[in-house]
Amino acid sequence: MLTHLHIKHFAIIDASELELDSGMTALTGETGAGKSILLDALGLVLGARATTDSIQQGADRADITASFALDNLPAVAKWLEANELDADDDCLIRRTLSINGKSRATINDVPVSLQTLKILGEKLVAIHGQHANQSLSKSAQQRALLDSFAPSKQHGKVADAFAAWNTVNNAYENHTKDAIAREQRIDLLSFHLQEFDELDIGSVAVDDIESEHKWLASADRILALGNETLQAVDDTALPALGRSIPWVSELVQIDERLRESLDLIESAHIQISEAVQMIRSSINTLEHDEARLSWLDQKLGSLHRLSKKHQCSVAELNGVEQSLRAEFDALTDPAGSADELLRERDALRKAYETEADKLTRYRRKQAKALANAITEAMQGLNMTGGEFAVQVENIASEPTPTGNDTVNFLVS
């Protein structure tokens, strides 16, 4: 609902404010008082074309602002939200016309094109006048009035059928439009995957390759440190612990409070013995395998080059490969081919036409009822002999959410 209209330097108006409330408002006055100027200003702020002649003489620009409450206009609020123009429960529209012929429009302080402003204007206000454009004269509005006279679940079925067809149709068009880009992407993915395949590391994990490479590359150092450790422990630690056990055992017989010390020394002797055995076993199995080390060097070099290419760490390469394979499989999946999409689109088009034809038959039936009701009402308005008819034509065209019908109101 229009709640406020501010006009500045428009036509003969210097500045004017109009406050409106719910219910009916009547503006009266003599011819030439400026009633039509208010409507012209409202039309301008709703997207009508204007010339610099509309600017008050001596002014640089005309400025018109209109405020609307959206409490009872959920469709408008939804449209504003979809176009990122929403602002709570109100809508503020401003139109400025400069003397140089430039026009500027904003919706809720967001700059918009004149076409966008006009679309919103048609949703907010209907102007009925002798020579004004009337929404009632538009076929789409007449179809909407017929549907509101006789609502039916069939309208929703047509809308759902259209949505299903439109989704697949868009997918088909995008598939066809992007065929070259798709093939180029498939070729690139194939090249990347070939590089992964050529690594040929089998089931060996990347972490295992790095660990084994580090072990083989340090074989000489491992052998030297291991021997030094064994010599030190065998010559000093183990014999010392072994000799101390009988002495502490005798102490325990004298002072039972030293029992825990004996347990710790015995445990240390056992654990050190096991540690020595593990080190000795590792050293004995250590082989300086140059061939294996060379293979590991080659694989690690390839892995690092590949990780740099894909801008990830070596550990993340497995995830990158899986992602590339999934995309490759999706692009080469026969179920997503143009032929399959075309077959699905044609099937959904037939389903849509079936529902649209049912809606046409329903509309034609209800059109007769609406025509009879209005014709009867005309007789009571001293239009004796007057006749109202509703023409419903099924026009073969691309599917729409409202069906294939063109509705025209005819009056005699």
Side-chain angles (χ1 to χ4, degrees):
M1 181 191 77
L2 178 64
T3 59
H4 179 263
L5 183 65
H6 171 77
I7 305 171
K8 186 175 182 180
H9 300 316
F10 180 75
I12 62 173
I13 296 177
D14 182 27
S16 180
E17 299 273 353
L18 182 63
E19 296 284 349
L20 299 169
D21 206 341
S22 59
M24 176 178 175
T25 299
L27 303 178
T28 63
E30 298 177 355
T31 300
K35 301 184 298 297
S36 61
I37 295 178
L38 294 177
L39 288 178
D40 290 341
L42 181 60
L44 183 69
V45 81
L46 294 176
R49 292 187 176 276
T51 65
T52 54
D53 295 339
S54 302
I55 302 174
Q56 186 184 27
Q57 188 173 2
D60 294 331
R61 67 180 186 180
D63 190 276
I64 300 134
T65 305
S67 298
F68 294 85
L70 305 179
D71 299 345
N72 298 318
L73 297 172
V76 175
K78 187 175 181 180
W79 183 89
L80 289 170
E81 182 179 357
N83 289 274
E84 298 182 351
L85 298 169
D86 54 314
D88 299 327
D89 297 327
D90 296 316
C91 178
L92 181 67
I93 304 176
R94 183 180 180 184
R95 179 90 179 272
T96 302
L97 182 64
S98 300
I99 197 66
N100 60 10
K102 293 183 178 180
S103 174
R104 183 173 180 271
T106 63
I107 298 175
N108 290 328
D109 296 325
V110 178
V112 296
S113 66
L114 187 60
Q115 180 62 25
T116 300
L117 187 63
K118 189 174 182 180
I119 292 173
L120 176 61
E122 292 177 350
K123 297 177 181 292
L124 287 170
V125 174
I127 298 178
H128 305 275
Q130 185 176 359
H131 302 293
N133 292 327
Q134 302 178 22
S135 62
L136 187 59
S137 65
K138 298 178 180 179
S139 178
Q141 180 65 16
Q142 293 174 3
R143 182 184 60 237
L145 288 170
L146 173 60
D147 290 343
S148 64
F149 169 76
S152 167
K153 292 181 179 180
Q154 191 59 34
H155 298 100
K157 292 181 179 179
V158 170
D160 291 342
F162 167 80
W165 171 86
N166 192 50
T167 299
V168 177
N169 182 59
N170 289 337
Y172 172 74
E173 291 182 351
N174 291 335
H175 188 288
T176 304
K177 185 188 306 179
D178 300 334
I180 297 178
R182 173 187 289 265
E183 290 302 321
Q184 291 175 340
R185 182 61 179 169
I186 289 175
D187 289 343
L188 180 61
L189 290 171
S190 179
F191 174 75
H192 285 325
L193 292 174
Q194 184 178 355
E195 288 183 316
F196 277 97
D197 292 337
E198 288 175 352
L199 273 175
D200 190 28
I201 59 176
S203 59
V204 182
V206 174
D207 290 342
D208 293 339
I209 290 178
E210 291 182 321
S211 178
E212 185 181 359
H213 178 271
K214 183 178 180 180
W215 185 67
L216 282 178
S218 306
D220 292 340
R221 184 60 176 163
I222 292 172
L223 188 61
L225 290 174
N227 285 328
E228 289 180 6
T229 301
L230 290 176
Q231 184 176 358
V233 173
D234 279 343
D235 291 350
T236 306
L238 276 178
L241 285 173
R243 289 194 301 271
S244 67
I245 290 175
W247 300 337
V248 177
S249 297
E250 187 175 345
L251 285 172
V252 170
Q253 292 178 0
I254 300 171
D255 187 353
E256 184 63 27
R257 290 175 298 178
L258 296 176
R259 171 66 65 181
E260 186 175 356
S261 298
L262 176 61
D263 293 340
L264 290 173
I265 292 174
E266 289 178 338
S267 175
H269 187 269
I270 294 172
Q271 292 182 18
I272 291 176
S273 297
E274 292 178 352
V276 166
Q277 185 61 36
M278 292 172 63
I279 294 173
R280 184 174 287 111
S281 175
S282 177
I283 291 176
N284 291 338
T285 57
L286 181 63
E287 296 181 4
H288 193 75
D289 190 340
E290 286 292 342
R292 181 65 177 177
L293 183 60
S294 176
W295 183 87
L296 292 171
D297 274 330
Q298 178 186 352
K299 295 307 174 185
L300 275 179
S302 298
L303 286 169
H304 283 292
R305 284 193 297 272
L306 204 56
S307 67
K308 185 177 181 180
K309 182 175 185 177
H310 291 282
Q311 298 182 340
C312 66
S313 66
V314 172
E316 293 172 330
L317 279 174
N318 186 47
V320 171
E321 180 183 5
Q322 291 179 358
S323 178
L324 293 174
R325 290 196 185 279
E327 185 181 356
F328 180 83
D329 292 341
L331 289 175
T332 56
D333 184 6
S337 68
D339 292 340
E340 181 64 26
L341 288 171
L342 183 60
R343 284 192 292 270
E344 186 178 0
R345 186 187 72 166
D346 291 344
L348 290 171
R349 176 65 182 266
K350 290 180 181 179
Y352 166 83
E353 294 295 345
T354 298
E355 299 298 338
D357 288 344
K358 291 180 182 179
L359 181 57
T360 298
R361 292 193 293 271
Y362 177 77
R363 279 175 172 156
R364 285 174 175 167
K365 179 180 178 180
Q366 298 303 321
K368 293 179 180 179
L370 178 61
N372 292 337
I374 295 180
T375 297
E376 182 179 348
M378 290 171 68
Q379 313 311 309
L381 296 173
N382 202 22
M383 298 182 188
T384 306
E387 183 180 355
F388 182 85
V390 180
Q391 184 182 63
V392 180
E393 292 183 305
N394 188 297
I395 306 298
S397 62
E398 284 294 288
T400 71
T402 56
N404 298 330
D405 301 327
T406 297
V407 176
N408 291 302
F409 290 171
L410 306 175
V411 181
S412 171

